[in-house]
Amino acid sequence: MKHIQIIMPEVKHCTAKSCGFNRDSGCHARAITIGKHETPGCDTFFAIADTSEHAKSTGRTSGVGACKAADCRFNDDYECMADEVTLAFSRNQAYCQTYLHR
């Protein structure tokens, strides 16, 4: 398998404990996408039924691979330029707390 290395902002903390990629308030997806919603949400979020379904790959920390929130101050050509991001959970949706309107 061919591997690439990309520099991207780290997902520092996530409170979406019902997400399959969340273990101990950390995101363990390879990368997430922030989508454009009323509040920019985590498009990578998926709900799980119980904690046994969490991703097993906890040795990695997720980064932000893409951001569709073009009106965010940290968005440059649909890539996040923040140093790190924090995700929160509300109304069954994970959303980006780092988002700042331009």
Side-chain angles (χ1 to χ4, degrees):
M1 176 189 316
K2 193 174 193 179
H3 294 274
I4 59 173
Q5 183 176 356
I6 300 172
I7 297 171
M8 63 180 86
E10 175 185 352
V11 176
K12 189 70 173 173
H13 186 78
C14 178
T15 62
K17 294 183 181 187
S18 63
C19 178
F21 289 114
N22 188 312
R23 299 263 316 234
D24 301 321
S25 297
C27 181
H28 301 289
R30 288 183 191 262
I32 67 166
T33 297
I34 301 297
K36 181 63 180 140
H37 307 287
E38 227 175 84
T39 306
C42 177
D43 283 357
T44 311
F45 169 83
F46 73 97
I48 56 169
D50 64 61
T51 56
S52 67
E53 296 177 12
H54 281 284
K56 293 174 181 65
S57 300
T58 59
R60 65 177 170 235
T61 301
S62 185
V64 180
C67 178
K68 299 177 192 175
D71 62 343
C72 179
R73 179 180 300 176
F74 297 110
N75 189 312
D76 182 14
D77 199 25
Y78 299 102
E79 292 183 5
C80 182
M81 295 296 148
D83 291 332
E84 61 189 32
V85 299
T86 300
L87 300 172
F89 191 70
S90 177
R91 291 183 232 145
N92 296 322
Q93 176 64 43
Y95 66 94
C96 181
Q97 285 190 302
T98 308
Y99 168 86
L100 287 175
H101 187 74
R102 288 185 202 262

